Amino acid sequence: MSDTFDLIVVGGGPGGYVAALRASQLGMSVAIVESTHFGGVCLNWGCIPTKALLRSSEIHHLLHDLGTFGFSAENVSFDLPKIVARSRGIARRMGGGIAHLLKKAKVTTFDGRAKLAGRAGEAHKVSITKDGAEVAVIKSPNVILATGARGRQLPGLETDGKLIWGAREAMTPAELPKRLLVIGSGAIGIEFASFYRNMGSEVTIAEVADRILIAEDPEISAAARKAFEKQGMKIITGAKVGPLQKGENEVSTTIESASGTIDLTVDRVICAVGIVGNVEDLGLEGTKVQVDRTHIITDGFCRTAEPGIYAIGDVAGAPWLAHKASHEGILCVEKIAGRSPQPLHALNIPGCTYSRPQIASVGLSEEKAIASGHKVRVGRFPFMANGKAVAMGETEGMVKTVFDATTGELLGAHMIGAEVTEMIQGYVIARTGELTEAELIETVFPHPTISETMHEATLAAFDGPLHI
Amino acid sequence: MATDILMPALSPTMTEGKLARWLKNEGDKVSAGDVIAEIETDKATMEVEAVDEGILGRILVQEGIEGVAVNTPIAVLVEEGEDVPAASSGQTPAIVAPAAEPVAASTPPASAKAASREESSERIFVSPLAKRMAKDRGIALGSLNGTGPNGRILKRDVEKSGNAAPVAPKAAPATAVAIEGDVKRVPNSTMRKVIARRLTESKTQVPHFYVSVDIELDALLALRSKLNATAEDNSFKISVNDMMIKAVGLALKKQPGLNVQFTDAETLHFENVDISMAVSIPEGLITPIIRNADLKSLREISREAKDLAKRARAGKLKPEEFQGGTFSISNMGMFGVRDFAAIINPPQAGILAIASGEKRAVVRGDQLAIATVMTATLSVDHRAVDGALGAQWLNALRDIVQNPYTLVV
Ligand SMILES: Cc1cc2nc3c(=O)[nH]c(=O)nc-3n(C[C@H](O)[C@H](O)[C@H](O)COP(=O)(O)OP(=O)(O)OC[C@H]3O[C@@H](n4cnc5c(N)ncnc54)[C@H](O)[C@@H]3O)c2cc1C
């Protein structure tokens, strides 16, 4: 086997493995180095296992609402270890699938930690170590760093694996905490809060900002808060969490906010307070690669300041999303191959939260659209007025559209409710293809579907909705 | 199956190019990655690589043809043993080489692009949003360069072409009036046309304002001599231009308000300082880029600037080497000029015009003294930057140049 490749990818998450597959499609010889498991955080400890858990909690919720649909059942119960085992099994299966895809694509895989090790002429050298010993040195003119990110540890809130959980512990509970405090209300915090609340835990969310889901349109944040509170969650915004006092099997703390100071004792705490990039020990010191705090600085085509070194996905900064990582992987490789990919447009990357209700959005919030100088037209449509949503018993939700009043550009779309994570792509296509309200209005939406709310929310911004 | 090889878009702004040379003949076997042809665009000569393997079945556009529109089939690739179709394999009619007919030397050659547009009644790809915006602003779609997938015209392309451009003649009517006497008619090269279009756009659509300062150069010149004296066997020779690139880079880092780009909706503030330096070449002017000029050492800048200028003159720059840039420098120091003002290189928001350093009388306290002084004039896009900031930036630049040790530490 030659030790020289057209491309070396460091990290086998959704950024790295997709980059490797695309490069192989384009005829490059590719090596990928993964230290732990193919599929990265996404398949093993992120997107996929959490969605498996949330499916269980959704079923749990439905089982407690059986009467609505004309059923009755007694002694409905669940076995948490089985729910967790299902989630882990799915993660394993998906991760294994990646190894198979890479093999099929004739990508050379290396098991170990990779580190840049200087140059050999035009090529960059990458040293691979396993259990502390160097197992290989490989070379390529092109190296993509896709090493991902990990949960941020705040002083005083460090996860300890027992009482204070990070994402990994939170998705492998041995038993259900009766009382749970979730610190941080980004997508990850909210998804865990939703899982545990739907499984029956008492959940408190503490968020330092003045609203939850700060990345979303404020109106959606408010609707989400209302829905979660109706389910019995306690939400404290503008919250300052005091020191965590760890007991034998519980944690006490005080939370200060505008509405006063409360003392809280819970069984477990989940900390979801942001992300730091995995930039350590990559051999960046000897290169021109620039790091801003914990993220590698790249341009629109994922190039770092060091020629031939690229960075994609979580390690290259926000938004920390698997589809962003994969998309960057593809465009980066196409650029290397001399094709002309389009740079990634941040406002065209959708964001989804798979809580109950689900939340999905793309583009600018109404606030931001106005702040950036647009005259806007805003449309709203509630699920309550949609036949399919009512038939499904999913009347909690709404769609909000923000259009530029002059050009008809869809500036942003914001959704909350059942299945919105599956529907947002319609608006993403509209943004990517630069459709205006005219094409959306002309589109025939199938009836009855919840997606008709997307049509109505567009009509609402212009001629007026029909069904309200 | 026979497939067409299309005229590639080698840069986001390329709409047409010249097929300079075929490097493979009909019947030659090619594999993915083989260089099959050389294409000349407005700014550079570039190689075209095959993406598939096969046999170069037929060449549809002969060497030397100019104005070949992007995505025109230029050759047909077939598999081994397959019959070679007479024309392009797709439904698109192949453009047959017009060069076969000798063109009378006195008449300028007809634009092949116009011809191809008519012949194939070429479809314009445009997003609905861009179409509506162009209509509202009275911009003809045909005058826009699409930078989207397959040359699709997008919102950004309309925005780039500015507001309210009249539909018909884009610039002042440049048609010739009847001229008496002998006239030598030199057809405008593609580069000349691009320069004309871009600078007209800039001067008519970007509200420029200008600020000048006099900068004393003696300290910088002394430092330069010292630095160059340390170069063993002339391994490097740093020029005043190299030092100015670095100084401008540092000034932009210090006052990042000028490292910006104005668009209708927002002003983009760039993290990287990428300096375009105007290089004059026989056909006109090109602006290769020193990326991250603030972070590079003088030696690196010097080496890169020399290399870029050399390759610019040879027409060998890659698109990414002259496209992008966040700020420009135009240096006419070598021509003995006292001062001048430059036209902004859009979509950038500023350009610094550097004139010659010359000995001038300066007043220090109440004394007359002699110093080497250079006048630098900053042109700024007033949509993005206001006067005070322009002045502050120039002062920052002067500080750096007059205390040049910051260039080396
Ligand atoms: C609980 C949770 C839920 C999430 N849910 C979603 C969701 O629903 N949707 C979504 O889009 N995103 C979600 N995310 C985010 C998503 O997981 C990440 O954005 C995505 O995994 C980033 O992909 P990546 O390829 O950049 O990095 P990663 O997936 O982190 O992969 C990096 C890989 O590199 C390897 N590696 C690191 N350093 C080295 C080295 N030196 N040598 C060799 N290998 C190395 C690691 O072992 C890892 O496998 C979630 C994240 C979490 C934590």
Side-chain angles (χ1 to χ4, degrees):
Chain A
M1 188 184 66
S2 159
D3 64 350
T4 304
F5 298 87
D6 295 335
L7 172 68
I8 297 172
V9 181
V10 178
Y17 84 75
V18 170
L21 292 177
R22 181 70 183 128
S24 150
Q25 268 182 349
L26 292 178
M28 298 187 206
S29 62
V30 193
I32 186 166
V33 190
E34 168 57 54
S35 61
T36 322
H37 33 40
F38 283 109
V41 168
C42 167
L43 292 189
N44 298 288
W45 294 103
C47 325
I48 297 296
T50 52
K51 270 41 336 149
L53 294 178
L54 285 160
R55 175 73 170 151
S56 292
S57 67
E58 184 189 6
I59 291 172
H60 191 248
H61 158 70
L62 283 174
L63 286 172
H64 284 79
D65 199 20
L66 283 178
T68 313
F69 302 98
F71 292 86
S72 59
E74 265 147 51
N75 299 328
V76 174
S77 66
F78 65 84
D79 183 352
L80 191 62
K82 276 194 187 151
I83 290 173
V84 171
R86 174 175 175 273
S87 163
R88 297 317 307 153
I90 289 168
R92 234 184 341 271
R93 195 162 85 215
M94 301 305 294
I98 302 308
H100 173 74
L101 285 174
L102 289 168
K103 193 166 163 210
K104 211 176 81 185
K106 302 207 165 49
V107 173
T108 309
T109 57
F110 287 92
D111 173 17
R113 271 196 68 82
K115 181 175 178 161
L116 293 169
R119 280 182 179 266
E122 285 290 282
H124 292 282
K125 286 198 288 185
V126 171
S127 138
I128 304 169
T129 50
K130 179 82 188 162
D131 305 323
E134 185 167 272
V135 291
V137 177
I138 52 178
K139 295 190 246 3
S140 173
N142 302 300
V143 178
I144 297 182
L145 302 174
T147 53
R150 58 183 186 275
R152 184 196 290 158
Q153 300 282 354
L154 289 185
L157 303 180
E158 292 92 350
T159 55
D160 61 10
K162 184 171 176 270
L163 296 173
I164 304 179
W165 288 352
R168 290 193 186 202
E169 296 82 25
M171 67 184 95
T172 49
E175 55 194 298
L176 197 71
K178 215 170 119 1
R179 299 159 302 173
L180 178 69
L181 169 64
V182 177
I183 305 177
S185 76
I188 295 176
I190 288 291
E191 286 182 8
F192 282 125
S194 184
F195 170 75
Y196 282 104
R197 179 66 208 127
N198 282 293
M199 294 307 295
S201 303
E202 282 169 25
V203 174
T204 305
I205 299 176
E207 166 59 56
V208 60
D210 63 355
R211 59 188 174 92
I212 60 167
L213 290 161
I214 193 78
E216 302 297 334
D217 186 286
E219 213 172 322
I220 299 291
S221 291
R225 177 174 192 153
K226 212 170 128 199
F228 296 145
E229 283 176 341
K230 212 170 102 194
Q231 295 169 14
M233 284 192 210
K234 205 166 154 50
I235 296 177
I236 307 169
T237 48
K240 251 185 76 198
V241 179
L244 301 179
Q245 320 273 357
K246 295 191 209 175
E248 187 61 21
N249 201 18
E250 59 180 30
V251 183
S252 303
T253 186
T254 54
I255 302 178
E256 257 176 63
S257 73
S259 49
T261 302
I262 60 159
D263 295 319
L264 188 72
T265 300
V266 294
D267 303 306
R268 297 291 179 269
V269 177
I270 293 177
C271 230
V273 289
I275 293 287
V276 291
N278 294 327
V279 290
E280 300 85 359
D281 204 20
L282 290 178
L284 299 181
E285 315 75 55
T287 70
K288 298 200 195 92
V289 175
Q290 305 279 313
V291 175
D292 175 21
R293 273 153 291 173
T294 66
H295 295 287
I296 297 178
I297 301 180
T298 55
D299 68 5
F301 293 109
C302 310
R303 293 177 288 211
T304 68
E306 175 75 35
I309 307 257
Y310 306 79
I312 60 172
D314 280 5
V315 75
W320 298 285
L321 294 168
H323 41 281
K324 176 253 189 187
S326 300
H327 199 94
E328 283 186 338
I330 292 168
L331 76 87
C332 177
V333 163
E334 292 188 347
K335 189 77 186 172
I336 292 173
R339 300 218 162 185
S340 357
Q342 297 282 316
L344 189 53
H345 190 350
L347 290 180
N348 290 351
I349 305 173
C352 294
T353 305
Y354 298 77
S355 48
R356 187 177 70 81
Q358 298 182 0
I359 292 138
S361 63
V362 65
L364 294 174
S365 65
E366 180 182 356
E367 239 182 356
K368 288 208 182 116
I370 292 169
S372 55
H374 290 278
K375 235 180 107 226
V376 300
R377 272 173 172 273
V378 175
R380 294 180 182 81
F381 196 83
F383 277 26
M384 192 80 86
N386 172 271
K388 179 71 181 298
V390 176
M392 300 279 293
E394 296 286 358
T395 51
E396 191 171 57
M398 70 174 271
V399 179
K400 172 174 177 180
T401 56
V402 182
F403 288 90
D404 183 291
T406 345
T407 63
E409 177 179 10
L410 176 66
L411 298 170
H414 312 278
M415 311 169 81
I416 179 167
E419 302 308 335
V420 295
T421 58
E422 292 290 343
M423 298 196 294
I424 190 71
Q425 44 78 14
Y427 285 138
V428 181
I429 293 172
R431 275 198 54 80
T432 307
E434 294 194 346
L435 307 187
T436 68
E437 93 289 352
E439 290 73 37
L440 288 170
I441 288 175
E442 251 173 55
T443 302
V444 181
F445 284 75
H447 176 78
T449 59
I450 302 182
S451 74
E452 288 170 284
T453 57
M454 297 170 66
H455 196 214
E456 292 275 10
T458 305
L459 291 174
F462 290 88
D463 302 340
L466 290 167
H467 289 91
I468 196 165
Chain B
M1 204 188 61
T3 45
D4 287 351
I5 299 176
L6 304 180
M7 181 75 173
L10 299 169
S11 72
T13 53
M14 171 173 169
T15 52
E16 55 175 45
K18 172 177 169 186
L19 215 159
R21 205 149 71 89
W22 279 106
L23 300 170
K24 298 272 176 189
N25 297 314
E26 287 186 358
D28 282 1
K29 214 170 152 167
V30 300
S31 21
D34 283 359
V35 177
I36 53 170
E38 276 180 11
I39 306 276
E40 241 174 70
T41 66
D42 49 355
K43 300 214 163 159
T45 303
M46 278 172 286
E47 298 173 333
V48 182
E49 290 180 7
V51 276
D52 282 323
E53 60 171 17
I55 293 183
L56 192 61
R58 190 171 301 284
I59 286 176
L60 301 171
V61 175
Q62 301 300 327
E63 275 185 16
I65 304 289
E66 291 187 31
V68 183
V70 165
N71 288 337
T72 307
I74 55 174
V76 183
L77 194 69
V78 294
E79 281 170 19
E80 223 162 334
E82 187 186 0
D83 283 345
V84 180
S88 140
S89 66
Q91 288 92 323
T92 7
I95 313 289
V96 188
E101 288 168 35
V103 194
S106 58
T107 50
S111 154
K113 180 185 172 189
S116 74
R117 284 235 162 162
E118 270 164 30
E119 276 170 39
S120 57
S121 65
E122 189 184 305
R123 197 175 141 197
I124 297 182
F125 291 95
V126 55
S127 79
L129 178 61
K131 198 167 170 179
R132 187 185 292 181
M133 289 172 69
K135 188 162 169 257
D136 290 349
R137 297 173 186 210
I139 300 171
L141 288 176
S143 71
L144 294 172
N145 282 335
T147 63
N150 299 317
R152 189 171 188 247
I153 299 169
L154 298 179
K155 172 185 166 189
R156 60 171 179 249
D157 304 318
V158 182
E159 283 180 338
K160 229 187 295 165
S161 90
N163 263 314
V167 180
K170 288 207 64 178
T175 35
V177 283
I179 302 167
E180 284 163 35
D182 280 346
V183 175
K184 187 173 159 215
R185 289 169 193 273
V186 182
N188 291 331
S189 65
T190 315
M191 179 175 273
R192 204 69 254 154
K193 287 185 204 158
V194 171
I195 292 174
R197 179 172 57 76
R198 288 183 47 91
L199 294 186
T200 306
E201 267 171 27
S202 175
K203 249 322 221 204
T204 52
Q205 288 160 19
V206 177
H208 287 57
F209 72 84
Y210 308 94
V211 198
S212 301
V213 286
D214 289 343
I215 302 179
E216 292 185 18
L217 283 184
D218 299 289
L220 182 120
L221 292 173
L223 175 65
R224 172 173 169 259
S225 309
K226 268 191 216 148
L227 288 174
N228 284 337
T230 66
E232 284 159 26
D233 52 38
N234 289 335
S235 56
F236 60 88
K237 186 154 183 273
I238 289 160
S239 67
V240 174
N241 192 55
D242 300 332
M243 298 176 90
M244 287 306 297
I245 291 173
K246 171 94 185 187
V248 166
L250 292 178
L252 286 170
K253 214 51 210 192
K254 208 160 165 197
Q255 289 281 357
L258 256 75
N259 202 35
V260 299
Q261 176 180 329
F262 180 84
T263 72
D264 277 354
E266 53 199 3
T267 299
L268 314 178
H269 292 255
F270 298 110
E271 189 60 36
N272 289 0
V273 173
D274 297 338
I275 298 200
S276 310
M277 50 169 200
V279 172
S280 74
I281 56 178
E283 308 86 76
L285 181 75
I286 192 160
T287 52
I289 301 166
I290 307 277
R291 297 202 184 266
N292 297 311
D294 55 322
L295 303 174
K296 288 187 173 141
S297 70
L298 286 171
R299 279 173 73 165
E300 280 175 289
I301 291 178
S302 177
R303 184 164 22 84
E304 240 179 77
K306 274 199 197 79
D307 170 58
L308 287 170
K310 194 167 125 215
R311 285 191 295 117
R313 294 196 177 102
K316 294 273 186 217
L317 289 179
K318 297 188 205 123
E320 65 267 24
E321 289 177 321
F322 59 84
Q323 290 172 351
T326 58
F327 186 91
S328 291
I329 298 182
S330 176
N331 186 348
M332 294 224 267
M334 56 301 236
F335 299 121
V337 300
R338 188 181 172 101
D339 63 50
F340 72 105
I343 300 179
I344 292 170
N345 176 15
Q348 298 174 4
I351 183 168
L352 186 73
I354 300 177
S356 304
E358 56 182 5
K359 288 218 158 64
R360 292 190 206 160
V362 296
V363 179
R364 286 201 214 291
D366 283 335
Q367 299 286 316
L368 265 186
I370 296 175
T372 311
V373 179
M374 163 187 95
T375 303
T377 302
L378 174 68
S379 313
V380 194
D381 181 349
H382 211 327
R383 295 173 304 173
V385 179
D386 298 325
L389 184 57
Q392 281 160 11
W393 185 85
L394 270 181
N395 282 326
L397 176 72
R398 180 170 50 197
D399 270 1
I400 293 167
V401 176
Q402 296 191 167
N403 303 296
Y405 53 86
T406 46
L407 300 179
V408 283
V409 295

